[in-house]
Amino acid sequence: MLVGLTIGNVVLIEKLELGFAPGLTVLTGETGAGKSILLDALGLALGARAESGLVRAGAAQAVVTAEFHLPTDHAALNLLDAQGIERDENLILRRQLGSDGRSRAFVNDQPVSVAFLKALAEHLIEIEGQFETHGLLDPATHRDLLDGFGGHKIELARTVEAYRQWKAADNALGEAQAVLEKARADEDFLRHAVAELELADPQAEEETKLAMERQLLLAGAQVIDAVNAAHQDLAGDKGADRALISAERRLQRLGDKLGEALGAELAAIAGSLDRAGVELRDAIAGIQNLQSSLDADPARLERVEERLHLLRDLGRKHRVRADTLPDLLADLSARLQMIDGKSGDIAGLAARAAETRKAYLAAAGALTQLRQKAAKTLDAAVTKELAPLKLEKARFATRIEALPDAQLGENGADRIAFEVATNPGAEPGPIQRIASGGELARFMLALKVSLSRAQPVPTLVFDEVDAGIGGATAAAVGERLKRLAEQLQVLVITHSPQVAALGAQHWRVEKKVAKGVTSTTVATLTKEQRREEIARMLSGATISDEARAAADKLLKGAA
């Protein structure tokens, strides 16, 4: 609730500090005393539009601070957490307005935007005046108010969860369908490409191997002559192979003659020659194999070139290196398998989306039934409040309409609006379009009283809700304000003595002139001062004994 308001240099207010109590606080005073200035100052702290005309003449800036005490789970404190603003024992909103029209906003001494200040204030306080167009007049608030009135918290949570599951399943289905659609757009190409590559059957590193073989084959006779000459040098009558064998035999015979003295050393040399002979014979075998391959198939070059041409053409066609064609074939085949297998996945996702949608519609349908029941109860409660407020011919109705599929949301399948008809036989319509200024204020009061348990803000301010009425109707207004104050903190600016008498706290707003300077002050009234103020409201400038007696009667009845 609002616990304090400090105002400095706002219009006629030089310095003012107000402390607020729970329950009903009434502000009275003569017309023009400055009651509206208090609302302007409070609005400034709540993020209302700032105009340089609010700054007191001669002052450099106006400053307004509003202090609130809130439960730890209040929605406004969650906004602080989201903004990274540290919580304190109380929540303090401050607004500075310079004479040049520039303003700054602070929350718990942390600078914030005016937009954030306004968003925060919407969770703290609501000002209801004859011509205000927010709060209950905003249809966007009606669904939450009806749910709060009906106590639909559990059912609403179920609907929210069911909606989120449905949307998650629906999104998964949509994403899978988009992937499949894109894949199917390439399906003909994929099938042709895979068939072509499977027919070609490319092997790993095949292009590199064929290129090397082609190079050898292109060398033709030169390669054959060189290979044959190499073979003759190594394995011919005067080749290296015979020379090694001859050298090895000579050393063995010498070793046999020389005995053990030099035999070991000659044996080591002979071993080296033997190993060299083994390597040499391997080389000769390799040359012989190469001779066989070169001589075996004279048409090999043509086949190698045809294969190379095929592989390289496929590589250019698919913009890959020919050696990577096997990898490409594997990738394209996998994409085809995905297309073939995706239909089964789509069917499963579609079934899941249908199942979760059905569950959501069931939860939303159950919530709709509860809302319809709560709407009947609310309509009856508001109607009961209207007659004493001189609105006995008016009719209040909660309209519940089914949303189209495109507008279904986590809060259910209903569009909810509070409507009224002020004349018998007329169709109900939006409150702000049907009711006049005075009627509108009383409709708001009837609604507030009926919805007090569901009221999302802890503090309500009524600006002359009793304007244009008196007698029994004014008493009915006051009685309802008092009832509302049992649930919420209520501040009311009033000209009605019947309403003023019911306040738990009574302030008088006065305009004073000192040394040629006009200022507005607010005084908390004692019991005797309240009697005099209510008597003034009853009789005018001259307070009579009859007025005092009537004031006593009102105060006694309010006790």
Side-chain angles (χ1 to χ4, degrees), residues 290-405:
L290 183 58
Q291 284 176 322
S292 298
S293 66
L294 291 174
D295 295 336
D297 188 358
R300 175 64 180 169
L301 176 60
E302 182 178 353
R303 291 197 300 274
V304 167
E305 287 187 331
E306 287 179 356
R307 182 66 175 172
L308 269 176
H309 181 73
L310 173 63
L311 294 177
R312 288 172 176 174
D313 274 354
L314 288 172
R316 284 191 294 270
K317 180 177 181 179
H318 295 285
R319 298 181 180 180
V320 298
R321 291 187 301 107
D323 276 344
T324 63
L325 287 172
D327 297 331
L328 176 64
L329 175 58
D331 178 60
L332 297 181
S333 297
R335 288 169 63 184
L336 269 180
Q337 290 175 359
M338 182 197 71
I339 294 173
D340 294 336
K342 207 68 177 177
S343 296
D345 295 342
I346 294 292
L349 291 171
R352 172 63 179 165
E355 176 187 348
T356 52
R357 173 184 166 84
K358 183 178 179 181
Y360 163 74
L361 292 176
L367 183 58
T368 297
Q369 291 180 354
L370 289 175
R371 285 171 172 168
Q372 290 169 343
K373 183 178 179 181
K376 291 179 180 179
T377 304
L378 177 61
D379 293 352
V382 175
T383 299
K384 183 179 178 181
E385 300 293 335
L386 293 178
L389 297 174
K390 208 175 180 180
L391 292 168
E392 61 278 354
K393 295 181 181 181
R395 182 163 58 95
F396 175 84
T398 303
R399 181 185 293 274
I400 301 179
E401 296 178 336
L403 290 169
D405 277 4

Side-chain angles (χ1 to χ4, degrees), residues 218-229:
L218 283 173
Q222 293 180 353
V223 174
I224 293 173
D225 290 345
V227 169
N228 290 337

Side-chain angles (χ1 to χ4, degrees), residues 500-515:
L502 294 170
Q505 187 178 38
H506 191 156
W507 290 339
R508 175 178 168 82
V509 182
E510 296 180 291
K511 184 185 293 183
K512 296 182 178 180
V513 180
K515 297 181 181 181

Side-chain angles (χ1 to χ4, degrees), residues 389-390 438 442 465-478 495-496 498-499:
L389 297 174
K390 208 175 180 180
R442 282 174 279 150
V465 67
D466 49 12
I469 61 173
T473 304
V477 168
H495 287 288
S496 168
Q498 292 91 339
V499 173

Side-chain angles (χ1 to χ4, degrees), residues 76-88 91 107-112 116 120:
L77 299 179
N78 295 333
L79 288 181
L80 293 192
D81 297 338
Q83 194 74 5
I85 298 174
E86 187 175 349
R87 297 189 184 195
D88 209 338
L91 175 61
V107 174
N108 287 353
D109 284 331
Q110 296 295 313
V112 298
F116 176 75
L120 189 65

